Structure formats: C-alpha cells, structure tokens
Amino acid sequence: MHPVIQEVTDRLVERSRPSRTAYLRRLHAEAEAARLRGPARASLGCANLAHGFAAVGESDKRDLRANVKPGVAIVSSYNDMLSAHQPYEAYPAILKAAVRKAGGVAQFAGGVPAMCDGVTQGRAGMELSLYSREVIAMATAIALSHDMFDASLMLGVCDKIVPGLLIGALHFGHLPAIFVPAGPMTSGLPNKVKARTRQLFAEGKVGKEELLDAEAKSYHSPGTCTFYGTANSNQVMIEVMGLHLPGSTFVNPRTELREALTKAAGRRAVELTAHGPEYTPVGEVVDEKAIVNACVALLATGGSTNHTMHIVAIAAAAGIELLWDDLAALSKAVPLLTRMYPNGQADVNHFQAAGGMQVLIGDLLDAGLLHGDVLTVAGHGLDHYRSAAELKEGELVWEERAEGSTDLDVLRPVSDAFSSDGGIHMLDGNLGRAVSKVSAVKDEHLVIEAPAKVFDDQLELLRAFDAGELDGQDFVAVIRYQGPSANGMPELHKLTPPMAVLLDRGQRVAIVTDGRMSGASGKVPAAIHLSPEAADGGPIALVRDGDPIRLDAAAGTLELLVPAGELAARPVQGAPLTDAQWVGTGRELFGAFRRAAGPAERGAGVFALNGHAEAVANGTRPATAQSGIRA
C-alpha cells in the first residue's frame, strides 16, 4: 500500500475504534439472530405476517407464509420527472422475477423522495435539497423497519439520493444491500457548447429560446446527466466501495446489458443473505478501508465537492469518524487520472468507452492506492472489479480487462497522471475551513488576492452582474448565510456562468461561501462549504465590502487580511432568515432540520455518529465526540 493511504486508514481505524466496535457488536448480534431464526419474517406474529403478505400474488403468498425463502426489499427512488430515475419504473418487476428464480421473494418495500437539483437550481426548492438526504435515510429506515426482509436492493442514482439510501441501509447493517444503477443517458450536445451557450445567455448575446434548445439537447432522454457531477461521482464511489456489481455503473439504460445486470443484482441479493452461501452484511462491506477507497476514487476522478460532506455522513452511519483532515492528506497523495466535464470536455460515456471503472480500479490497485482486501457484493477482494460485464451469446459474463485506457485525453494511468494530486483541496485560514475543487481551474487562477464584495443572497450577486456593477474589477465574491443552519445549504451553481464571463474578460474573481457549488463547479476558483458558517457565528459574518481576501488553492489557505484585533471588535454583519421568513415551497416543514444541522465538515447532517451512544455508555468514548450533529 502507498504509505499515505495506509497511514490515513490506520488513523481512521484508531479514531473510530470505540464507535465502530459498538456498531459491529450490534450488527453481529443481529446477524447471529438472523442465522438462528431463519428468514426475518419468522419472528413476526401471525397478524403481523398476514399484513405483510396480504397484497401479493398467490405464489409469493405461499412462499412468504412458509417462512423458508429469504425476503428481499426493493427500495426505489423512481419518479418520471428525473431522467436518471425514470428507468427504475420497470425495475421492480424485473427484480422480483430474478429473486424468485434465485429462490427468494422480493417485495417493493418503499419509495424514497428524489428531487432534481437541476430543476431546483436558484429556486426556493433548492433549500430543501441537502435536507432531503436525511429524509431519504429515514424513509429507507421506514421501508426496512417491517422485519420482513433478509436483504435489500437499493435503486438510486443522483446527488442526495444514494448517500441517503446508504445511510439508511447502514442503520440496518446486518442486512446485505446491493445498489442497482440505471446508467447514464447517451451523449448529447457537447459540454463545451452547452457551457458556452450559458455564458452567452448571461451576457445577453443569445435569448432564452436558444438557451433552452441547448439545454434540451444536453438533457435529452432517460438516464443520468452525462457530466461528471455529484450523481456520477456517487456511482464511481459506490462501485469502488463494492456495493455495485462489477462493471454496472456506466452501462446505458434500455440496453440488453443493463437489463442483464439488473437481473443479476436480484439473483445476487439472495446469495448474500444470512441463509445463502455468502452472507455479506452491508455494515461489514462499508468499513474503514472501503471509506478510504471511496475517498481515493473521488480524488482520482476530480469528483463532486458535495461528497466532502456525503462521505463523512456515510462513514458516520457505519460508526466511522472521517475528518476533512483525512481527505486533505489523501488529496496530496492521490493523482488526478480523469478529465470529465467540468474538468475536461469528455463525459461519462467517453470515460466508459476509454476503459471506465475497470481500468481506473485496476490501475489504482496496482499503484497501491486502493485497498484490495475488502469485502464486496461480488465476493472478497476488490480484484473482482477489474472485470467488465458483457453479454456473450445472451449470457452475462465478467472478463478481466487486460488493456489500459484507449483514450489518454479522458483516462490515464497513475504513471502518466493529469496532476500529481487530487482534484479537491482543503483550505484552512482565519475564515475557517473550506473546500476547493481545483481540477477544472487553470493554474494561473489558483491564487487570488482581491477585495471582498459581500452578498447575503445569491440573487444579490446576479442582480449586481446584470446591472454591470461587477464589470472591470477584481474581487472575491463572499456569499454568506448559505450554510446548513441558515437555509439548507443550497447549491449556488447559477453563479458559475456570470462569474465565468468576468473571468473570461480578464478580471481576477473568485467565490467564498458557506454554501455549495456542487459537482458541476467549473473554472471559477471557489472556497465553498466554509465552516463554521455565518449562521453559527463563523468569521465570514464579519467580512465587509473592500476587505482584502487571499485564496490560495495551491497552498490550501484562505485568509481574511484584516488584523485580528480589528476583526474581533466588529459586529456581525447580516443575518439568516428567521423561521417566519423561511416559508414557502414547504420550507417551513424543515425548520427542525435547520436547528439540528451539523457543520459542513461533519457531514452537514442531523444524525449522530452511529455507535457513539453505546461507546459513551461503555466508557470507551467521551460524550463530546460526535459527528454530524451540533453540540
């Protein structure tokens, strides 16, 4: 193993030992009970069980009543508004048939919400987006709470949906869980053309009809959006964690191979139960090594900055305390191996054609940058994921890919990396801690020192741009009161086109915010997820127009160049919306989330570190050490 990867893993194991031990103790007790009693529904009373099978067909009803065949839960984020999730409409029937053929019984256990950040960008609904991860986790728990199931099949792709499903699944860690992807839509309008059209619209050089035409040609059919944002970063990380079947991540919807992989996931779920030949609880798959592997994959591909929060929250659900310090250390050791938009002009289909996950994983394994001795849904060892899925004479087979990348403009080996370190940097300074995605930023823009222009809402900046108030000057745009405790930490992606226009005009500009810029963050240098946030008394609340700020993404620093004494004497500027103001689009229903949300560097969630309470009770952990929730 690469020494830095091993050192980070060892620290993570030691730091997490009390909570992880408590988590595994509970998991193993539940697993042993499962082995002894047979299918989970065997513990139900007659009335309970009768309710559980009342609506199924006669054949499944007989099997469920007999308490012999394992039960498999299907939890889906299907809706037909999201292109990424529309293909899931047909999955339950396919999976039920596959599970039945393998000797189990599958039931649709529950649906989880799935909102589209592409639809809600710049809208009030975006302020519910991050909170939806917690809702999805809780909805997953409700789906699995009926004690009818011995394994689960998780159907989700995008942004908060996959992290939410996994967090929920990890609270039922004794159950196996296989994630079943839907795949990306085929390539549409080239990303470079789409981005250029957005900038032209921001400058008033093309109209709304031209912009809508470009967007419709980009997002044109069922499947995941093809740029490398949070949704596709989810998929990369889930495969590297061993929760997908090998090679299933970027197979397009509505293809024979896609359906064959879906059927295989259903069959495999039966084999992984406590009553099958290869019992594989999800809580054992997601261990410290798997979490480090996910971080490495994120960095090696220049993935979404959203995952600097999601992977922390996922780890916490498995009793593992991941810190931004771990990501910072890994980023210095992991090279950047891919160029996918916004880090390049290729999309995920081009990445797949170049060799995709099998080439990426194989090369990272050979370089000692991934842990190979891990448990996966395909069996023990990440070497399973060197193999690509294909159909031969109608049969699904996996064959190890011997050749490397076929397109070095998209995917490179470690020996010829695009950059010597990861595409995501952690920043520290007197403004707090932040994240910067540098993989799409030109070297000459990595460092900026300029006066602040302060905004308490993204719409204020957009209005200033439209009025020409930002023209012809260098500045650092400070957008505050955008954190999880303020308004749900919305993505501020609508700021990218106008700020890119100013950058192209030769102005030196950057963004500093306690909000998010998402996996679609582009060429504008940005320090995001600033923690502590303004609403929690972070120093960003003290910044005034004209204050000099230095952002050095190369060195990993973020400084407000104001004497400490002067800063300490300043009153807080601005304020988050009150509950009375934060209404409309259902936002008033989420007031409790605002009050409970933890800081970005702890996952920006509302759930405590799993196993923490037991560790405190056992005296193996101090009561103050929590993750994902404010003290």
Side-chain angles (χ1 to χ4, degrees):
M1 288 301 301
H2 188 288
V4 173
I5 309 301
Q6 191 61 56
E7 288 167 12
V8 170
T9 305
D10 291 344
R11 287 199 299 269
L12 187 59
V13 168
E14 187 58 35
R15 183 190 311 127
S16 307
R17 192 179 304 282
S19 53
R20 178 68 176 171
T21 299
Y23 174 81
L24 289 175
R25 185 182 299 116
R26 178 162 21 107
L27 183 157
H28 292 153
E30 292 167 336
E32 183 60 24
R35 289 191 188 95
L36 293 173
R37 69 167 175 256
R41 61 188 181 277
S43 66
L44 297 178
C46 293
N48 306 93
L49 183 57
H51 277 86
F53 61 57
V56 304
E58 288 304 316
S59 175
D60 283 349
K61 186 174 290 188
R62 286 193 300 271
D63 288 338
L64 287 169
R65 180 169 181 157
N67 280 333
V68 174
K69 294 183 177 181
V72 178
I74 300 170
V75 182
S76 176
S77 56
Y78 162 74
N79 66 57
D80 64 10
M81 185 195 71
L82 273 69
S83 64
H85 293 184
Q86 189 276 342
Y88 285 136
E89 181 179 20
Y91 275 39
I94 295 171
L95 289 167
K96 287 179 182 180
V99 169
R100 190 178 298 117
K101 189 174 181 179
V105 185
Q107 293 177 278
F108 191 99
V112 303
M115 65 183 297
C116 180
D117 290 359
V119 175
T120 57
Q121 282 290 345
R123 313 286 299 175
M126 175 54 81
E127 297 180 5
L128 304 183
S129 175
L130 185 58
Y131 296 150
S132 77
R133 184 188 69 192
E134 320 308 282
V135 175
I136 291 161
M138 291 188 286
T140 301
I142 290 171
L144 298 177
S145 68
H146 296 89
D147 292 330
M148 288 283 292
F149 307 112
D150 305 289
S152 63
L153 292 160
M154 297 290 170
L155 280 54
V157 176
C158 294
D159 298 314
K160 272 58 65 183
I161 296 115
V162 168
L165 286 168
L166 184 49
I167 290 168
L170 285 166
H171 282 267
F172 292 78
H174 66 291
L175 295 180
I178 297 179
F179 280 70
V180 189
M185 66 178 69
T186 56
S187 301
L189 188 73
N191 288 305
K192 185 176 183 179
V193 178
K194 176 187 68 176
R196 180 59 182 156
T197 305
R198 287 177 175 176
Q199 285 192 213
L200 290 172
F201 179 77
E203 294 178 274
K205 293 180 179 178
V206 301
K208 187 173 182 178
E209 194 61 32
E210 289 90 342
L211 178 62
L212 181 56
D213 187 53
E215 299 288 0
K217 289 177 180 176
S218 298
Y219 310 114
H220 59 87
S221 68
T224 317
C225 305
T226 60
F227 68 88
Y228 192 51
T230 310
N232 287 316
S233 298
N234 273 336
Q235 302 306 298
V236 166
M237 294 169 70
I238 287 293
E239 178 152 351
V240 171
M241 291 172 79
L243 293 168
H244 278 170
L245 292 184
S248 61
T249 292
F250 292 130
V251 175
N252 300 121
R254 299 179 178 174
T255 61
E256 290 184 22
L257 181 56
R258 177 82 278 160
E259 184 168 335
L261 284 161
T262 300
K263 291 177 180 177
R267 294 192 299 270
R268 186 63 176 161
V270 177
E271 297 171 348
L272 299 184
T273 69
H275 322 296
E278 299 178 61
Y279 181 38
T280 308
V282 67
E284 291 189 354
V285 173
V286 181
D287 64 4
E288 296 90 344
K289 290 179 180 179
I291 291 294
V292 169
N293 282 352
C295 294
V296 169
L298 178 72
L299 294 165
T301 55
S304 170
T305 53
N306 279 326
H307 281 295
T308 61
M309 294 181 295
H310 294 328
I311 192 62
V312 172
I314 289 167
I320 299 166
E321 191 172 6
L322 182 71
L323 303 179
W324 276 4
D325 292 335
D326 302 318
L327 280 164
L330 291 171
S331 183
K332 294 175 182 176
V334 177
L336 181 65
L337 303 183
T338 72
R339 286 285 191 206
M340 291 182 278
Y341 185 82
N343 309 330
Q345 297 310 314
D347 64 27
V348 295
N349 291 311
H350 302 128
F351 169 72
Q352 174 78 351
M357 295 300 298
Q358 281 50 64
V359 171
L360 176 74
I361 290 172
D363 199 51
L364 288 170
L365 280 169
D366 290 341
L369 292 166
L370 288 177
H371 292 285
D373 56 333
V374 292
L375 188 63
T376 80
V377 299
H380 190 84
L382 201 58
D383 278 338
H384 287 287
Y385 291 79
R386 295 177 183 267
S387 297
E390 57 182 282
L391 288 174
K392 286 192 173 181
E393 299 181 355
E395 294 295 319
L396 179 64
V397 297
W398 279 270
E399 292 191 354
E400 184 171 337
R401 184 183 171 105
E403 63 178 323
S405 172
T406 59
D407 188 346
L408 296 178
D409 290 333
V410 179
L411 172 61
R412 290 188 179 181
V414 172
S415 59
D416 186 27
F418 289 106
S419 173
S420 61
D421 65 7
I424 298 174
H425 288 187
M426 303 294 148
L427 310 180
D428 273 300
N430 64 353
L431 277 174
R433 307 191 76 191
V435 175
S436 184
K437 183 171 180 175
V438 301
S439 50
V441 178
K442 292 182 179 179
D443 289 347
E444 60 265 31
H445 296 148
L446 290 175
V447 181
I448 177 174
E449 185 174 319
K453 282 189 175 293
V454 182
F455 306 92
D456 289 350
D457 186 277
Q458 62 177 320
L459 295 180
E460 294 177 7
L461 188 150
L462 294 173
R463 283 193 289 266
F465 174 82
D466 290 338
E469 296 170 5
L470 306 180
D471 295 348
Q473 53 192 304
D474 298 345
F475 66 92
V476 174
V478 176
I479 307 99
R480 61 193 179 190
Y481 297 106
Q482 304 299 307
S485 297
N487 64 349
M489 206 179 191
E491 290 182 355
L492 308 177
H493 185 44
K494 275 193 174 292
L495 301 182
T496 299
M499 293 293 284
V501 167
L502 301 178
L503 196 70
D504 286 350
R505 289 176 182 171
Q507 294 175 230
R508 303 276 294 170
V509 296
I511 294 172
V512 172
T513 181
D514 49 11
R516 294 184 291 138
M517 291 291 288
S518 92
S521 303
K523 60 188 179 182
V524 179
I528 62 177
H529 306 178
L530 186 62
S531 182
E533 62 176 289
D536 284 343
I540 189 175
L542 305 177
V543 180
R544 296 176 178 174
D545 281 339
D547 284 347
I549 292 178
R550 180 176 176 83
L551 191 168
D552 188 336
T557 58
L558 177 65
E559 296 288 342
L560 177 65
L561 304 179
V562 173
E566 178 186 337
L567 198 62
R570 285 183 179 179
V572 168
Q573 303 282 308
L577 296 176
T578 64
D579 281 349
Q581 295 170 314
W582 200 60
V583 296
T585 320
R587 288 177 293 177
E588 59 274 15
L589 297 172
F590 291 78
F593 284 77
R594 285 211 304 167
R595 288 184 284 276
E601 64 179 317
R602 287 294 193 167
V606 302
F607 307 130
L609 180 69
N610 207 350
H612 170 76
E614 296 98 316
V616 171
N618 293 334
T620 57
R621 190 180 186 95
T624 55
Q626 298 188 64
S627 181
I629 191 166
R630 288 185 292 168

